[in-house]
Amino acid sequence: MTLRIGIDYGGTKIEAAALSPEGSVLYRRRTATPDSYDLVLTTLRDLVADVEREIGADASVGIGTPGSMEPASGMIRNANAACLNGRPFKRDLETVLAREVRLANDANCFALSEAIDGAGAGRASVFGLIIGTGCGAGYVLDGKLVGGAHALAGEVGHMPLPDPQPDELPAPLCWCGLKGCLESWVSGTGFQRAFHSATGRDLDSKTIVAAAQGGEPEAVEALHRYRDRLARGLSVVANLIDPDVIVLGGGMSNVEPIYEGLAEAIRLRTFSGIWKGDVVQARWGDSSGVRGAALLWGLEETLARA
Ligand SMILES: [Zn+2]
């Protein structure tokens, strides 16, 4: 029996959870994310010690972080938790925890959790897309994460929105320096931005969705356009890797109307219209981060049962 600890490293909080061999959460603990790198390391050391004390056993440790680790140098880059950038975080964490640690981008952890025993369980090719504050994604093939040569695989959030319409040009500048990034359209903040640019009204995404459900024409139209943009982006994914299933997570994935006709809209934009995969909501919600991080060390028992 091996116990696994998963750590979800967020911009404001760090959550750690211990998983049983069957994949259920035995214990979880949250703490505020420190803003200095040295404090991050000692906080994680204490957090792991606390969880191991609670479960009464040593455990493997996997961690999901924002940004990604550059494979050649081992340095973190593009993390919105800025103190990690340019640091050999995995190596330093292994030193303070005195064990090997597995580390992946948080969207990759999400995809892994949903592929192994979430909404994509039993499917060979699973693409997980987080549409929350930002837009990140991960790809799992036959139970294994596909990271890519530069840890870039699945970064659809920063490819341009395909087939831009006249009112979508000039393409908005993304924080990453590129123009017209999908994230600028399909993240929750992108949805708000697009609504503001189309109507001049400054509403948060929840208010827009509620207005759409109440039948307000501008909000209904905004949600319709949102689904169309999401379909355009995901049609590229379908053409490129042809997943069995696309699992959506993050705040916008809870908006039920976006699923209406979404898979069909994607199919119509694939070559010869032959993609027949599903688009479904995540099973594990906010727990996907810690679960996927723990599952970086595998979960043979769960796989065998699935
Ligand atoms: Zn971008």
Side-chain angles (χ1 to χ4, degrees):
M1 288 231 318
T2 311
L3 297 178
R4 293 164 174 82
I5 293 176
I7 300 171
D8 183 9
Y9 189 109
T12 56
K13 65 173 172 54
I14 297 173
E15 181 173 352
L19 286 198
S20 74
E22 294 76 30
S24 57
V25 172
L26 299 171
Y27 176 71
R28 71 168 75 216
R29 177 126 192 249
R30 283 182 181 184
T31 188
T33 306
D35 52 14
S36 95
Y37 185 66
D38 290 342
L39 216 48
V40 163
L41 293 173
T42 54
T43 298
L44 289 171
R45 181 196 62 201
D46 296 346
L47 197 57
V48 168
D50 177 66
V51 174
E52 288 187 327
R53 199 164 40 243
E54 194 65 31
I55 61 177
D58 293 341
S60 62
V61 174
I63 183 164
T65 69
S68 63
M69 185 174 72
E70 208 272 310
S73 68
M75 302 293 182
I76 299 286
R77 63 195 169 181
N78 296 330
N80 57 9
C83 75
L84 298 186
N85 287 326
R87 300 283 194 164
F89 184 45
K90 177 175 181 292
R91 197 167 69 219
D92 289 343
L93 198 54
E94 288 176 333
T95 302
V96 299
L97 293 176
R99 76 195 79 182
E100 187 189 346
V101 169
R102 291 189 181 168
L103 179 148
N105 166 266
D106 42 19
N108 283 358
C109 291
F110 162 76
L112 189 62
S113 171
E114 291 298 328
I116 288 188
D117 61 349
R123 317 291 285 273
S125 175
V126 179
F127 189 80
L129 181 78
I130 297 179
I131 35 179
T133 314
C135 174
Y139 179 47
V140 177
L141 183 62
D142 296 328
K144 290 200 169 61
L145 269 172
V146 178
H150 309 90
L152 195 58
E155 281 298 354
V156 296
H158 300 280
M159 69 177 193
L161 176 72
D163 190 17
Q165 303 300 297
D167 67 336
E168 293 165 343
L169 294 170
L173 184 64
C174 181
W175 63 268
C176 76
L178 298 172
K179 282 184 179 169
C181 289
L182 195 61
E183 177 171 295
S184 306
W185 296 103
V186 305
S187 64
T189 39
F191 176 55
Q192 286 172 222
R193 187 199 57 75
F195 182 78
H196 181 260
S197 115
T199 67
R201 297 160 68 199
D202 203 4
L203 301 179
D204 66 34
S205 50
K206 277 189 181 152
T207 307
I208 304 167
V209 169
Q213 285 168 334
E216 196 209 287
E218 281 185 338
V220 169
E221 173 64 13
L223 211 48
H224 176 78
R225 294 298 305 279
Y226 177 87
R227 184 174 53 215
D228 173 63
R229 288 165 182 147
L230 190 58
R232 275 186 265 160
L234 288 173
S235 68
V236 176
V237 173
N239 271 323
L240 192 64
I241 59 171
D242 189 11
D244 291 307
V245 60
I246 295 170
V247 183
L248 303 182
M252 289 303 290
S253 76
N254 299 319
V255 180
E256 283 178 18
I258 69 171
Y259 295 91
E260 288 164 18
L262 179 58
E264 176 65 3
I266 296 168
R267 185 187 71 76
L268 290 172
R269 285 182 171 270
T270 55
F271 179 55
S272 301
I274 55 174
W275 187 73
K276 294 192 177 65
D278 298 314
V279 186
V280 297
Q281 192 175 355
R283 174 182 178 191
W284 293 111
D286 291 343
S287 289
S288 268
V290 285
R291 297 188 80 270
L295 293 172
L296 293 170
W297 285 94
L299 193 57
E300 300 84 348
E301 291 87 348
T302 300
L303 279 171
R305 199 187 47 185

